[in-house]
C-alpha cells in the first residue's frame, strides 16, 4: 500500500492539538496507517503522577489494536522539534510491527525525517525471550 506521507503527517499534527500536556507543555500527535488503509490517531496525555502519562504513539497503537487492526504499516509523529519516539513506544511498536516505517514531522506537519523502526530499536525484546 502506498503511504501518503503528507496526509499522515497532517493527521498527526492535527492530533497533537488534542494533547493534554499541562506539565511539559510539549504536544505530540501520532497517526498510524494500518494494512486496511485506516488511520488511527493519538496524542500524549499527561498526569500529575508522571508515570501514568502515555505517549501519542502508544495511544494510536492501542486505538488500532482495540478496533481489531493487526497490520501496522507506518506511523507519523509530529511535535515541536520533530522528536523521535521514546524507548517504551519503540518497544510497543515493535511488538506489533517490527518493520514499521516511522515518519517524523514538526508541529505544522512538515516532514523532518524517516526511519525504519528496526534502525531505531536495533536489539528489541521480543516474544522469543
Amino acid at each position: 500500500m502506498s503511504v501518503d506521507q503528507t496526509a499522515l503527517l497532517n493527521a498527526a499534527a492535527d492530533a497533537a492539538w488534542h494533547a493534554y500536556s499541562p506539565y511539559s507543555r510539549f504536544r505530540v500527535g501520532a497517526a498510524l496507517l494500518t494494512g486496511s488503509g485506516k488511520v488511527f490517531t493519538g496524542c500524549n496525555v499527561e498526569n500529575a503522577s508522571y508515570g501514568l502519562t502515555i505517549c501519542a504513539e502508544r495511544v494510536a497503537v492501542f486505538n488500532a489494536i482495540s478496533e481489531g487492526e493487526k497490520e501496522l504499516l507506518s506511523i507519523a509523529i509530529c511535535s515541536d522539534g520533530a522528536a523521535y519516539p521514546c524507548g517504551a513506544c519503540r518497544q510497543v511498536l515493535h511488538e506489533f510491527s517490527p518493520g514499521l516505517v516511522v515518519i517524523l514531522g514538526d508541529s505544522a506537519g512538515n516532514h523532518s525525517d524517516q526511519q525504519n523502526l528496526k534502525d531505531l530499536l536495533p536489539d528489541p525484546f521480543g516474544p522469543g525471550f
Side-chain angles (χ1 to χ4, degrees), residues 5-6 9-10 12-13 78 104-112:
Q5 292 184 357
T6 301
L9 283 164
N10 287 335
C78 289
L104 299 178
D106 64 15
S107 58
N110 299 307
H111 185 269
S112 174

Side-chain angles (χ1 to χ4, degrees), residues 21-42:
S21 55
Y23 307 106
S24 71
R25 302 203 191 315
F26 188 73
R27 294 177 181 266
V28 181
L32 179 68
L33 177 67
T34 65
S36 69
K38 293 180 182 175
V39 174
F40 292 85
T41 60

Side-chain angles (χ1 to χ4, degrees), residues 20 28 42-47 49-60 62 86 89:
Y20 178 73
V28 181
C43 63
N44 57 318
V45 179
E46 295 180 350
N47 190 280
S49 176
Y50 202 67
L52 300 179
T53 294
I54 188 165
C55 300
E57 299 91 329
R58 284 181 278 156
V59 172
F62 298 158
C86 73
C89 286

Side-chain angles (χ1 to χ4, degrees), residues 90 115-122:
R90 293 177 195 199
Q115 299 279 333
N116 288 316
L117 180 60
K118 64 183 176 185
D119 295 326
L120 295 176
L121 188 65

Side-chain angles (χ1 to χ4, degrees), residues 89-103:
C89 286
R90 293 177 195 199
Q91 182 62 48
V92 167
L93 292 166
H94 176 270
E95 179 76 16
F96 297 102
S97 185
L100 191 73
V101 174
V102 179
I103 305 161

